[in-house]
Amino acid sequence: MPLVSMRQLLDEAAKGGYGVGAFNVNDMEQIQAIMIAATETKSPVIVQASRGARKFAEDLYLFRLIQAAAELNPGIPIAMHQDHGNSFETCKSAIELGYTSVMMDGSLKEDGKTPSTFEENVEVTRKVVEYAHPRGVTVEGEIGVLGGIEDGHGAGGSGLEHVTDPDQAVEFAERTGVDALAIAIGTSHGAYKFNKKPDGSVLKMDLLIQIHKRLPHTHLVMHGSSSVPKDLQDIINKFGGKLKETWGVPVEEIQLGIKNGVRKINVDTDNRLAITGAIRKVFAETPDKFDPRDYLKPAREAMAKVVAQRMTQFGQAGHAGDYKQTPITEMAKGYASGKLDTRPSLVGVK
Ligand SMILES: [Zn+2]
């Protein structure tokens, strides 16, 4: 089966009132773990690669692995997404490879560190939309700046320094025509998100609710949304790791987001923790082992377990067979006719 447009996955999720996990990949075992979980729970899925992942695995290796996943699992709709594109060129190269969705993170300058101006963000994101939509490819933008750093990308800080302004979010959606929008509501990338269990005073869910009310047709995206479960931290530390105590985004908060327009939830850290814990356990308990399969297999299983759990919690489980997969050439026609336009002033006009 060819890869599916992310826009179709998110439109269907909006109809069904659920969220779709977007899981980061760098290698074959991670891709297989996601497919094990998607098959087991019958879930549509977004697989995503950061610039760091594309560099680590090399574009062609990674993309061919995703194609293999799609070919081997025809019943599972799979969208392939560029996570945090830093420039028009990064997004263009992903589209040329065959990615069906790209994120243009224009909230930061091309260095992936320095916050940009609103006008710079609008300009580069609109340019990506103008290139992507005629090719049927989905675009995610970002407004406000997320906290933390992941894969060398990010402004650092707590995640509360540049929360999204709802007026700016509306203007941004209008001027760019993005399909999906990552908003900053206090979450950050990486394992060290919060130094206490976050409550309503830390995560700005009220902001999210306001933005969704004003932009009901733009799918909202939560980044930095790993839950960083204590049991996964404990396994790592039990077998020789030295993680400091930390809290992620509680699943209940994500579920509240899903009730209020969040359709894509990015998860990376939880899978990294599961993989590392499983490998450490094999090393600690059976130090005589040296066949990589002896620790990569349990690592793959540990990640599949976390992914399946998230798929169930986000509500995407059971929805893989709900709809016929639309080829991206058809999506391109939908954009051309205005049928897929999400701009607040144009929705329902054509
Ligand atoms: Zn992110």
Side-chain angles (χ1 to χ4, degrees):
M1 253 339 244
L3 295 165
V4 183
S5 133
M6 185 171 89
R7 173 68 187 273
Q8 189 193 7
L9 252 67
L10 301 184
D11 282 351
E12 292 292 338
K15 273 189 231 162
Y18 57 91
V20 183
F23 304 98
N24 285 77
V25 294
N26 301 279
D27 60 32
M28 181 185 76
E29 286 78 5
Q30 290 174 317
I31 294 168
Q32 290 175 325
I34 295 168
M35 295 322 298
I36 291 167
T39 309
E40 197 184 285
T41 61
K42 301 188 176 55
S43 298
V45 70
I46 300 162
V47 177
Q48 61 184 10
S50 65
R51 278 184 293 137
R54 286 177 59 185
K55 201 169 160 203
F56 172 80
E58 289 184 53
D59 273 336
L60 207 52
Y61 282 118
L62 197 62
F63 190 69
R64 292 279 157 89
L65 285 168
I66 303 292
Q67 282 180 316
E71 216 169 294
L72 292 169
N73 300 276
I76 305 288
I78 307 172
M80 182 63 199
H81 175 77
Q82 162 79 55
D83 191 19
H84 289 287
N86 63 322
S87 65
F88 173 76
E89 284 68 31
T90 300
C91 294
K92 184 171 177 266
S93 68
I95 294 168
E96 281 168 349
L97 264 170
Y99 282 45
T100 55
S101 180
V102 292
M103 175 188 194
M104 177 61 233
D105 178 1
S107 73
L108 300 175
K109 290 182 188 285
E110 202 171 329
D111 66 4
K113 291 180 178 65
T114 318
S116 61
T117 66
F118 179 73
E119 287 302 323
E120 284 169 332
N121 191 357
V122 168
E123 196 183 320
V124 68
T125 307
R126 186 167 49 201
K127 193 173 165 196
V128 171
V129 171
E130 281 165 3
Y131 183 80
H133 281 179
R135 290 162 177 82
V137 172
T138 312
V139 180
E140 173 185 338
E142 175 170 324
I143 183 79
V145 183
L146 287 145
I149 297 175
E150 191 169 36
D151 273 0
H153 182 101
S158 75
L160 283 170
E161 285 153 37
H162 307 276
V163 292
T164 304
D165 169 49
D167 289 334
Q168 271 197 350
V170 173
E171 190 184 338
F172 185 81
E174 183 67 44
R175 290 174 63 190
T176 60
V178 287
D179 304 275
L181 188 57
I183 55 170
I185 53 164
T187 63
S188 0
H189 293 115
Y192 298 101
K193 299 184 193 299
F194 307 110
N195 51 18
K196 62 174 180 123
K197 192 175 173 183
D199 56 21
S201 65
V202 178
L203 283 175
K204 306 285 175 206
M205 298 306 284
D206 53 327
L207 212 56
L208 186 149
I209 293 167
Q210 269 186 55
I211 295 169
H212 176 52
K213 276 198 183 125
R214 296 180 61 186
L215 287 176
H217 302 283
T218 306
H219 302 299
L220 300 182
V221 183
M222 273 176 87
H223 279 243
S225 291
S226 275
S227 299
V228 201
K230 178 115 177 35
D231 58 328
L232 294 182
Q233 297 181 44
D234 287 348
I235 296 173
I236 291 180
N237 287 342
K238 183 177 168 195
F239 296 106
K242 282 203 173 102
L243 293 179
K244 287 178 281 172
E245 193 172 40
T246 179
W247 281 266
V249 180
V251 169
E252 314 84 75
E253 295 290 327
I254 296 172
Q255 288 168 333
L256 177 63
I258 292 169
K259 284 200 184 85
N260 291 284
V262 170
R263 298 292 159 233
K264 173 173 180 270
I265 305 103
N266 287 10
V267 176
D268 189 5
T269 298
D270 288 352
N271 294 328
R272 294 178 175 197
L273 294 173
I275 289 168
T276 302
I279 292 176
R280 278 196 175 277
K281 186 166 185 279
V282 174
F283 285 172
E285 287 179 346
T286 45
D288 56 316
K289 299 253 191 212
F290 61 90
D291 181 341
R293 289 171 296 188
D294 287 334
Y295 50 86
L296 292 178
K297 194 162 176 262
R300 185 169 65 191
E301 283 162 8
M303 173 166 160
K305 215 173 120 192
V306 173
V307 173
Q309 210 178 26
R310 296 288 172 271
M311 286 171 161
T312 305
Q313 290 162 333
F314 299 161
Q316 74 207 81
H319 289 287
D322 285 3
Y323 47 92
K324 211 173 141 260
Q325 304 179 18
T326 309
I328 67 161
T329 45
E330 283 302 310
M331 297 302 287
K333 287 182 198 161
Y335 288 117
S337 71
K339 206 176 81 186
L340 293 174
D341 220 306
T342 56
R343 281 174 284 182
S345 68
L346 292 177
V347 170
V349 171
K350 283 180 189 165

